[in-house]
Amino acid sequence: MLTAAVIVQAEQRIRFNIAAQNLSSALLQFSEQSGVKIFFTTQTTRAIKSKALMGLYTAEQALDTLLENSGIQYRFTATQSVTLSLQRSEIKTEPLLALEPAMVVYGSVTDVNRPVDQVSAKASGQTWNGYHVFSASTATRVNTPMMELAQSIQVIPRALIDDQQALTVTESLRNISGVVPRTPGITPNFEPTLIRGFSAMQMIDGFYQNLNTGDQGSLVNIQQIEVIKGANATLYSGGGGSPSGGVINLLSKLPEKEAFYEFGLKGGNYQFVQPYVDINQPINESLLLRFTGEYSHSKSHVEVLQTERYNLNPSLTWTNNKSSSLTLQGKYSKWQQQDYQGLPATGTVAGDFTLDPRLYIGPADIGDSVSELGSVWGTFKHQFNDSWAMTAKARYAYSLHDTITQGIIGEGFDFSADKPLSAEDLALLGSPALKHTWGLSNNELYQQSDEMTFQLYSTVYFDFEASHHALIIGGDFSEHDEAGFIEFNALLIGLVDLTQPVFLPYEYPGTRENKQFTRNTTYGGYMQLQSTLYEHLHLLAGFRAGNVSSDYKNTTPGFEFSSDASTTRVLPNVGAVIDLGDEYAFFVNYNQGMRAQSGVNFVSTPKPELSDQLEFGLKFDIAEQLTGQLALYQINKKNMAITDFSDPQLRATTGGQQRSRGVESNISWQLSDGFKLLATYAFTDARFSDSLIVAKGNQVPGVPEHAGRLWLNYAFQEALLSGLSIGAGIYAQSSAYLENKNLFKSDAFYTMDATIAYARNNYKLGISVKNLSDVNYYQRLNYFATRTMPAQGTEVFFSGTVTF
């Protein structure tokens, strides 16, 4: 007899978007989109062709349609799963069960843009064919098969995060082609991640993270990560607007229907310790509660550094289990550590002397820098009927960062400090010529901000003859109020020989009063139409009429300035996918973006950053085992914020043009039962395309021309070794310039990682080794748009988890 939970699960109406294809692939997509577990073997189902399934159906209605005339029947079990069996006769059936873990299919999408049903996603990402996710909704807000999306999007499922035993978002983003994530150690007071050579924007559940403060690296509340490449301004222009490189959307863990309690502990080198909890407790059939929390403490291979991080994430969902749901979420995140400014190029990757890579620049007793984020948001969804749905979202967030440091000043009294002071510089200071000597200045950068965001959109599904359509009409409004100051000593407080450093006590260099004020407001309306014609042509056409305005004021005595600028533009996003048989598809896309300047002190009225992207490529899904994409693209952007390090207030101006073009590929391959492979590669050529800032043709700093990732994981299938898995991978990238003038380069490098894990009943143990080959190298830190940071060396981590 079915339980009440199973009956409710079967009766809920779910929006499906499954193309006509072989039955195995269709069932995998059904599982992802419904959250219902299915047990079957692909040897029997692969040769059967299924019908297309598009529209609102219950799980039973959807299975009836997919299995029609297939000779296969289904049965719901008491564990909210489905068993398939052959219809031998009205009485006798032969089950098609595959009990091996690698052959069990689980629902795997947890996404704030899903329909109102709150299905279990505890086994998220564990699809049959490895790390491939069959559909996503971040790109278009319509749950769409990846093979039908007319643009580049890559998904990191929770299964990949867990298999790699990743500790941070940065680690996970190494799996995405063309992404250069932030370097660990740098204070989270801006978002340094690059996609396709240009700036990216990190979001949480579709909300823009202004400056991305707090603990940027935590994975404790992340179900999966979706990366959309390019401007994508039609749907993602809230907050500060759309970035030129792309969007990183972190999808949160949400309340589930089945109670569970997970407690874990991670530990490793440099006194790293990280206890965490994940508690899911349904209150009744309609009210679901979940809480995740994490504390992290660690020291570093760099002297002095000690980091503490906090993350608290409550969430509450109400649903009537039919047509409506309301989810409320909160987040408090804090990061604190001594500000790490890295090491100069001279003495690390250049020069006739060598600095100690463990050196911390500044006094050992300097106070912590702090970065903090607090936010609360809600998502309401209502399904009016089979064809019409509405979503309303709202968020309030505050953030602050306070960065204090004893900075170094280099040749020409430049804050980037790639070179030591010259003999001429020292003579101006009345000092004799000295080697490997820099100036010292006490600095403080402070900023606080408040943000309000509102989003409202409606989705309409309709068919016309041999075509299926999804129309989205919506609008949004965001307002960010920022206040802060940047202060430093007008005169050097002293000199330091970095080969034999002696630092001075830190003292606050100014009055610590807010002097720069910015209000960025974005609003707009958009319309997007997704269409499938005759099952094999998939079209995307959207546009946004958007406004970006910036009200800026500087009250610093002697540098008073104010401006109020507003720009309105129509931004398109159009594309098409043509199926080339059942296993290949060609796609092409063009989009534009516009983004307000944020977190910067300007000399004059700032212009918004503008960008456009053209891309095309090939998607493939071969025998439900080998999936991926090959893409070629070009992005153009202009009006970048460029800091003038010779300006007494380190103010910036907007201008200049850059161009990025490249080739990217990504592959997910299920080689055999339990054997999964992920491979990515990116060639990126990002350059200045005019001479306003630096020489035309200079490469954009921090962008390697070549980068790639290979990861293999094997879960043993033998009964004696059941629960045991091993993994190994390598990441490699070519060298990259440190700064705009292209005078210095970071090292080319590679790192090798390995993992071993054992899961038994409610327990799981893991050991991971990072930088297994102990390779020494320097990577770009992006501090004052340059600097280097040494590799961490070999690290060993352990983890243990118990779930009730």
Side-chain angles (χ1 to χ4, degrees), residues 224-332:
Q224 69 184 34
I225 303 172
E226 300 188 356
V227 179
I228 317 171
K229 300 175 180 180
N232 300 285
T234 302
L235 301 181
Y236 293 105
S237 282
S242 58
S244 51
V247 168
I248 301 165
N249 194 19
L250 309 180
L251 300 181
S252 299
K253 296 177 179 179
L254 294 177
E256 301 177 10
K257 289 184 176 179
E258 296 183 7
F260 63 87
Y261 314 94
E262 182 177 304
F263 302 90
L265 177 67
K266 300 177 183 179
N269 294 39
Y270 304 107
Q271 301 180 31
F272 173 78
V273 61
Q274 186 181 76
Y276 63 93
V277 298
D278 185 353
I279 299 173
N280 186 80
Q281 179 60 64
I283 298 172
N284 53 44
E285 286 290 326
S286 299
L287 200 59
L288 315 174
L289 177 66
R290 190 168 186 174
F291 172 82
T292 65
E294 178 182 79
Y295 167 77
S296 306
H297 172 275
S298 65
K299 292 190 176 181
S300 172
H301 63 304
V302 175
E303 296 173 342
V304 178
L305 289 187
Q306 182 170 292
T307 309
E308 285 191 296
R309 299 182 283 137
Y310 309 84
N311 276 279
L312 305 173
N313 307 279
S315 57
L316 179 69
T317 292
W318 169 85
T319 174
N320 65 2
N321 292 305
K322 292 181 180 180
S323 60
S324 301
S325 72
L326 173 65
T327 298
L328 300 177
Q329 297 168 259
K331 183 177 185 65
Y332 175 76

Side-chain angles (χ1 to χ4, degrees), residues 81-98:
S81 61
V82 169
T83 298
L84 303 186
S85 59
L86 289 172
Q87 295 176 335
R88 297 296 188 189
S89 68
E90 293 183 359
I91 300 175
K92 182 180 177 181
T93 62
E94 179 181 341
L96 296 176
L97 290 180

Side-chain angles (χ1 to χ4, degrees), residues 116-376:
V116 298
D117 58 299
Q118 293 292 323
V119 299
S120 174
K122 188 167 172 49
S124 175
Q126 300 183 26
T127 54
W128 177 80
N129 75 332
Y131 302 124
H132 180 61
V133 175
F134 288 91
S135 59
S137 58
T138 292
T140 63
R141 289 186 177 157
V142 174
N143 198 30
T144 305
M146 303 285 276
M147 288 286 288
E148 299 177 10
L149 284 171
Q151 58 192 112
S152 289
I153 176 171
Q154 283 181 255
V155 178
I156 303 172
R158 187 72 208 190
L160 178 59
I161 295 172
D162 291 340
D163 282 351
Q164 294 179 345
Q165 299 182 36
L167 297 173
T168 64
V169 172
T170 290
E171 273 190 72
S172 296
L173 289 176
R174 296 282 192 197
N175 295 296
I176 303 294
S177 58
V179 172
V180 181
R182 68 184 295 269
T183 303
I186 193 168
T187 300
N189 53 23
F190 72 112
E191 176 51 70
T193 302
L194 305 176
I195 299 178
R196 293 182 168 177
F198 291 155
S199 58
M201 175 172 65
Q202 191 172 115
M203 311 179 82
I204 295 180
D205 297 333
F207 288 105
Y208 168 65
Q209 296 297 101
N210 184 37
L211 302 181
N212 204 9
T213 54
D215 178 12
Q216 296 179 340
S218 176
L219 289 166
V220 70
N221 199 50
I222 294 176
Q223 189 64 36
Q224 69 184 34
I225 303 172
E226 300 188 356
V227 179
I228 317 171
K229 300 175 180 180
N232 300 285
T234 302
L235 301 181
Y236 293 105
S237 282
S242 58
S244 51
V247 168
I248 301 165
N249 194 19
L250 309 180
L251 300 181
S252 299
K253 296 177 179 179
L254 294 177
E256 301 177 10
K257 289 184 176 179
E258 296 183 7
F260 63 87
Y261 314 94
E262 182 177 304
F263 302 90
L265 177 67
K266 300 177 183 179
N269 294 39
Y270 304 107
Q271 301 180 31
F272 173 78
V273 61
Q274 186 181 76
Y276 63 93
V277 298
D278 185 353
I279 299 173
N280 186 80
Q281 179 60 64
I283 298 172
N284 53 44
E285 286 290 326
S286 299
L287 200 59
L288 315 174
L289 177 66
R290 190 168 186 174
F291 172 82
T292 65
E294 178 182 79
Y295 167 77
S296 306
H297 172 275
S298 65
K299 292 190 176 181
S300 172
H301 63 304
V302 175
E303 296 173 342
V304 178
L305 289 187
Q306 182 170 292
T307 309
E308 285 191 296
R309 299 182 283 137
Y310 309 84
N311 276 279
L312 305 173
N313 307 279
S315 57
L316 179 69
T317 292
W318 169 85
T319 174
N320 65 2
N321 292 305
K322 292 181 180 180
S323 60
S324 301
S325 72
L326 173 65
T327 298
L328 300 177
Q329 297 168 259
K331 183 177 185 65
Y332 175 76
S333 174
K334 185 176 182 180
W335 175 100
Q336 59 186 67
Q337 173 197 287
Q338 300 89 344
D339 181 56
Y340 180 63
Q341 58 185 292
L343 298 173
T346 305
T348 55
V349 297
D352 57 1
F353 61 92
T354 301
L355 299 177
D356 183 352
R358 300 172 301 165
L359 173 64
Y360 174 78
I361 296 178
D365 61 351
I366 194 169
D368 284 344
S369 294
V370 176
S371 182
E372 190 174 37
L373 169 71
S375 58
V376 59

